[in-house]
């Protein structure tokens, strides 16, 4: 079994060598990356790698790679490198860009034998959970120059940004990258609480603001949180400053964590959901201990705050090493991002979801930005609003009037055979015209016209019900 995996990795390596050789021969590149955390990490990794090869390049960040996006970027350079998307659009790229493009991606690919295309699915690996766009870009960067091993930490941030650690730890090819990052003394892995804000949130807010999961009774209830903390024998302050989880002693962390698990089970969590708040965490050893960049998950959220709010260049600068101006700007965007996520979650709680035959559904219209509606849909699995038994489909309105569709599922559903990326792509093809989309089994997106929404939902209900046998 192990041998087969090794062979496949050798094939992936060969593909990357071929691409690396070709990149070395060419110049004047346009890097096109996706706007989420993984996309920005991918963009930064290839930018650093091209810099090291003394290549000239421009960088473009896009929300999605639709046909009109490709039309817009056409003629902006000589050679294109698409990272963290493109595998689903190879036919379009071929049509519009001929042979001067490279695709480094981990989304489900369409059928194609294009050689300047690196994707884990082509070599027997699961791009949904064992390697991210940043990871794939990292493997290519390593073929360009062994020095690029120092970019391994960014590849870990990308993987965590795409929630590839959702089963408790990174697996598969991500493990190879992790080994590089540990060897370079860039990252330390340890078993710990996996809640957001260990460094950046005072303990009370750490519990009351937690949205993944939401703790019933503690959420938005500072008094209950204070009681919980004091009952765990932990002081709220140290020398007048609010303590964060990262300030606690080893013993205090242990008590806090086990009390939280007990509390969760007593308040309705399944054993699985309660245990899932512990898992492997990834500390970036070169970052300031007080900075959110110190933790891979918080680093990824900071990047999402930039990319998803139209300030990708700031996130890219942070990835490239800026810890002064861009970092300050990113910290401000982070506050705004968190505020919008909280408001979005609250909005869904107030409005409620509808339960359809095969999925949960909400239409945020203009109340939630299309850029973050998918994140919010995913976070709802941490609440008691939905069960794990059906996927979540969310609509939001794009600026151009089209509907942005975001779909999220659980690992259980994937095991039952659900593949959201494939289902969305097929549904869009059936709808024709402007509908385009795809993605991962567990998270996917597309866009449709207003007038298509009923037939879209109908088709989706049928396809999902068929695949998970409802
Ligand atoms: Mn990705």
């Amino acid at each position: 079994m192990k041998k087969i995996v090794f062979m496949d990795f050798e094939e992936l390596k060969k593909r990357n060598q071929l691409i690396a050789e070709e990149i070395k021969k060419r110049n004047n590149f346009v890097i096109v990356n996706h706007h989420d955390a993984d996309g920005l990490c991918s963009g930064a990794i290839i930018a650093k790698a091209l810099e090291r090869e003394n290549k000239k390049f421009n960088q473009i960040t896009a929300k999605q790679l639709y046909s009109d996006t490709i039309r817009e970027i056409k003629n902006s350079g000589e050679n294109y490198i698409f990272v963290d998307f493109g595998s689903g659009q190879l036919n379009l790229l071929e049509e519009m860009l001929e042979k001067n493009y490279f695709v480094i991606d981990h989304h489900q690919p369409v059928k194609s034998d294009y050689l300047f295309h690196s994707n884990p699915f082509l070599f027997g690996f699961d791009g949904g959970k064992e390697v991210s766009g940043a990871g794939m870009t990292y493997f290519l960067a390593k073929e360009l120059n062994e020095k690029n091993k120092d970019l391994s930490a960014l590849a870990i941030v990308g993987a965590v940004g795409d929630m590839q650690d959702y089963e408790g730890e990174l697996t598969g090819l991500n493990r190879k990258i992790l080994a590089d990052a540990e060897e370079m003394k860039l990252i330390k892995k340890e078993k710990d609480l996996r809640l957001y804000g260990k460094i950046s949130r005072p303990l009370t807010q750490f519990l009351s603001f937690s949205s993944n999961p939401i703790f019933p009774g503690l959420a938005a209830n500072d008094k209950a949180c204070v009681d919980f903390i004091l009952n765990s024998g932990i002081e709220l302050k140290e020398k007048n400053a609010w303590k964060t989880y990262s300030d606690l002693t080893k013993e205090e962390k242990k008590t806090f964590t086990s009390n939280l698990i007990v509390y969760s089970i007593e308040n309705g969590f399944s054993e699985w959901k309660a245990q899932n708040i512990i898992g492997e965490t990834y500390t970036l050893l070169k970052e300031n201990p007080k900075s959110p960049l110190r933790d891979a998950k918080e680093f990824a959220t900071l990047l999402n705050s930039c990319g998803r709010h139209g300030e990708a260049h700031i996130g890219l600068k942070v990835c490239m090493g800026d810890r002064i101006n861009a970092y300050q700007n990113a910290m401000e965007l982070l506050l705004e991002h968190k505020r919008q996520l909280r408001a979005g979650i609250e909005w869904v709680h107030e409005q409620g979801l509808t339960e359809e035959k095969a999925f949960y559904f909400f239409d945020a219209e203009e109340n939630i930005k299309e850029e973050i509606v998918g994140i919010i849909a995913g976070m709802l699995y941490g609440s008691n609003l939905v069960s794990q038994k059906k996927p979540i489909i969310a609509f939001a309105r794009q600026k151009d009037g089209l509907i942005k569709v975001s779909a999220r599922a659980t690992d259980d559903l994937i095991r039952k055979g659900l593949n959201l990326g494939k289902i969305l792509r097929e549904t869009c093809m059936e709808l024709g015209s402007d509908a385009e989309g795809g993605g991962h089994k567990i998270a996917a997106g597309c866009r449709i016209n207003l007038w298509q929404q009923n037939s879209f939902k109908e088709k989706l209900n049928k396809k999902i019900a068929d695949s998970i046998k409802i």
Side-chain angles (χ1 to χ4, degrees):
M1 190 71 192
K2 267 220 162 98
K3 225 172 193 172
I4 296 169
V5 172
F6 181 69
M7 290 277 293
D8 287 343
F9 188 70
E10 284 305 302
E11 291 299 313
L12 168 64
K13 208 172 144 79
K14 269 191 221 154
R15 179 64 62 96
N16 281 333
Q17 279 164 352
L18 175 95
I19 295 173
E21 285 314 309
E22 195 63 31
I23 287 178
K24 282 183 178 170
K25 283 185 216 154
R26 302 190 189 191
N27 205 347
N28 300 324
F29 292 91
V30 181
I31 298 170
V32 190
N33 57 259
H34 191 212
H35 74 157
D36 70 0
D38 184 32
L40 296 183
C41 288
S42 310
I45 290 171
I46 193 66
K48 275 269 181 201
L50 290 182
E51 237 174 49
R52 278 195 169 128
E53 301 305 308
N54 293 315
K55 301 289 183 190
K56 275 192 240 157
F57 63 89
N58 289 321
Q59 195 145 14
I60 295 173
T61 297
K63 275 187 218 173
Q64 296 294 336
L65 206 52
Y66 296 130
S67 45
D68 40 3
T69 330
I70 303 170
R71 213 165 292 128
E72 269 166 39
I73 56 182
K74 198 184 165 174
N75 302 326
S76 55
E78 280 176 40
N79 295 289
Y80 300 83
I81 307 182
F82 296 91
V83 286
D84 193 33
F85 50 21
S87 289
Q89 293 82 8
L90 283 171
N91 302 333
L92 273 173
L93 293 171
E94 180 108 12
E95 218 176 279
M96 301 170 85
L97 301 172
E98 285 153 32
K99 291 273 176 273
N100 52 349
Y101 68 95
F102 303 86
V103 173
I104 318 298
D105 190 10
H106 69 131
H107 293 85
Q108 296 170 51
V110 293
K111 274 211 169 53
S112 161
D113 44 21
Y114 189 63
L115 280 178
F116 302 148
H117 173 217
S118 185
N119 183 305
F121 287 103
L122 302 178
F123 306 98
F125 298 103
D126 182 353
K129 66 184 214 183
E130 55 176 316
V131 64
S132 68
M136 289 304 288
T137 313
Y138 171 71
F139 286 129
L140 169 66
K142 250 173 78 173
E143 297 307 327
L144 278 163
N145 191 332
E146 190 60 22
K147 274 190 197 152
N148 292 327
K149 246 176 138 173
D150 62 352
L151 304 173
S152 50
L154 279 178
I156 296 300
V157 174
V160 171
D162 266 5
M163 292 195 283
Q164 297 198 320
D165 60 338
Y166 67 94
E167 283 179 316
E169 60 182 33
L170 292 172
T171 58
L173 292 182
N174 280 324
R175 227 58 207 168
K176 269 183 191 290
I177 304 169
L178 190 58
D180 282 357
E182 287 180 302
E183 189 197 311
M184 300 286 291
K185 303 223 172 349
L186 296 169
I187 282 197
K188 182 176 88 182
K189 63 170 196 284
E190 61 194 322
K191 278 254 181 291
D192 200 356
L193 211 51
R194 295 205 301 161
L195 301 187
Y196 182 86
K198 282 188 289 192
I199 300 165
S200 58
R201 286 179 176 169
L203 280 172
T204 325
Q205 292 181 11
F206 183 54
L207 292 172
S208 74
F209 285 2
S210 172
S211 46
N212 194 12
I214 291 167
F215 294 105
L218 296 178
N221 186 343
D222 283 354
K223 166 129 194 354
C225 295
V226 168
D227 289 346
F228 176 91
I229 297 160
L230 294 177
N231 287 337
S232 302
I234 295 164
E235 298 286 339
L236 296 170
K237 283 186 172 182
E238 192 174 305
K239 293 183 205 138
N240 283 327
W242 296 106
K243 279 207 250 185
T244 66
Y245 179 80
S246 63
D247 295 328
L248 302 183
T249 65
K250 242 189 171 145
E251 274 312 304
E252 285 176 325
K253 281 182 184 169
K254 241 185 178 166
T255 317
F256 185 89
T257 304
S258 53
N259 285 0
L260 192 56
I261 290 176
V262 171
Y263 176 93
S264 304
I265 292 173
E266 283 173 358
N267 286 275
F269 277 28
S270 67
E271 191 109 348
W272 173 83
K273 193 167 153 189
Q275 288 301 338
N276 206 32
I277 60 181
I278 302 178
E280 208 166 75
T281 59
Y282 307 100
T283 305
L284 284 88
L285 298 169
K286 297 269 185 319
E287 302 295 340
N288 182 326
K290 287 284 167 200
S291 159
L293 303 182
R294 182 87 172 175
D295 177 76
K297 196 183 206 120
E298 300 201 26
F299 195 143
T301 302
L302 181 116
L303 294 179
N304 273 323
S305 318
C306 301
R308 290 180 182 266
H309 298 280
E311 307 279 358
H313 61 286
I314 293 174
L316 283 168
K317 279 187 194 151
V318 172
C319 287
M320 302 289 277
D322 184 321
R323 295 293 175 270
I324 304 167
N325 292 333
Y327 176 71
Q328 274 315 322
N329 293 337
M331 291 294 283
E332 284 157 29
L333 289 164
L334 179 63
L335 285 178
E336 176 58 19
H337 178 64
K338 286 190 203 164
R339 196 194 60 72
Q340 290 188 18
L341 289 184
R342 242 186 344 263
I345 294 261
E346 270 164 31
W347 186 87
V348 180
H349 271 260
E350 276 160 24
Q351 303 294 315
L353 294 96
T354 50
E355 186 170 357
E356 308 242 340
K357 180 167 186 255
F359 53 80
Y360 296 100
F361 173 77
F362 68 92
D363 183 354
E365 293 176 359
E366 269 127 26
N367 296 292
I368 297 175
K369 278 199 201 168
E370 54 133 329
E371 290 88 349
I372 59 168
V373 72
I375 300 184
I376 288 168
M379 287 168 117
L380 292 174
Y381 280 121
S383 75
N384 287 340
L385 230 49
V386 300
S387 80
Q388 315 270 324
K389 293 198 178 74
K390 289 180 183 180
I392 301 170
I393 307 296
F395 284 2
R397 207 57 53 84
Q398 295 186 173
K399 285 196 188 74
D400 56 13
L402 293 171
I403 292 177
K404 164 72 189 283
V405 181
S406 294
R408 294 293 184 276
T410 62
D411 193 40
D412 264 0
L413 289 164
I414 306 307
R415 268 189 237 121
K416 279 190 183 162
L418 183 67
N419 184 340
L420 288 173
K422 188 162 168 266
I423 287 180
L424 286 198
R425 192 159 66 220
E426 284 171 5
T427 312
C428 284
M429 265 153 61
E430 287 170 25
L431 291 174
S433 67
D434 294 339
E436 286 180 65
H440 298 298
K441 288 180 185 172
I442 202 160
C446 68
R447 60 173 192 188
I448 57 172
N449 288 294
L450 270 181
W451 50 268
Q452 291 170 316
Q453 52 182 317
N454 289 333
S455 55
F456 175 83
K457 281 172 69 182
E458 219 171 277
K459 284 177 192 294
L460 211 58
N461 256 312
K462 188 166 177 330
K463 282 183 201 289
I464 296 174
D466 281 352
S467 81
I468 55 174
K469 294 172 191 72
I470 294 182

